[in-house]
Amino acid sequence: MMTIAHRMLGVGMAGLAALALAACTTAGPGEPLPKAAPKGVEGSWIDAQGTGLSTLTAGRFQTVATDTGQKLADGSYKLTGATSVEITGTSLIRQAPISFNCLLVSTSQLNCTSATGQNFVLTRRS
């Protein structure tokens, strides 16, 4: 009889622990769910001057002007390592191919170098 009581108490305590953990990770009624921390390179990135917004999603990239929304470039990207990405495409303004290698130095910063040697930084936009 005592063993059954101990088992029931153990199951009850495990259930309470699970409920307490769930309460810490979910939003209450009417509250927005907390955002997950960004992972990898997918998402929106803005250049240092704030003029171009690049979006990387599912192997595709696109850059638009922040003031007009005009598409400036599009193409594709592929991961070349755990924190490195290669971006290739076309500059729609110059009608010329573009190529960049970028390194994800933090969840919010990509350090990039163009095929011509130009260095620039992209910052994740939330």
Side-chain angles (χ1 to χ4, degrees):
M1 196 81 161
M2 203 58 153
T3 333
I4 293 173
H6 280 102
R7 285 186 187 163
M8 293 301 286
L9 181 60
V11 169
M13 293 301 283
L16 286 175
L19 283 173
L21 181 59
C24 292
T25 58
T26 60
E31 293 179 20
L33 291 174
K35 286 186 177 181
K39 292 182 182 176
V41 298
E42 293 216 348
S44 296
W45 299 86
I46 194 157
D47 63 27
Q49 295 76 28
T51 58
L53 180 66
S54 298
T55 304
L56 286 78
T57 307
R60 301 289 306 158
F61 102 93
Q62 178 180 47
T63 301
V64 297
T66 54
D67 57 351
T68 64
Q70 176 186 3
K71 191 189 307 188
L72 303 175
D74 65 2
S76 61
Y77 72 90
K78 67 178 179 178
L79 298 175
T80 56
T83 58
S84 55
V85 61
E86 179 182 278
I87 301 171
T88 57
T90 303
S91 165
L92 302 175
I93 300 297
R94 295 188 186 108
Q95 290 298 305
I98 53 174
S99 178
F100 311 102
N101 287 311
C102 300
L103 183 63
L104 186 66
V105 295
S106 73
T107 57
S108 61
Q109 184 174 322
L110 274 172
N111 289 352
C112 301
T113 304
S114 72
T116 60
Q118 178 186 8
N119 295 317
F120 59 96
V121 173
L122 297 175
T123 303
R124 188 180 299 272
R125 190 162 189 198
S126 9

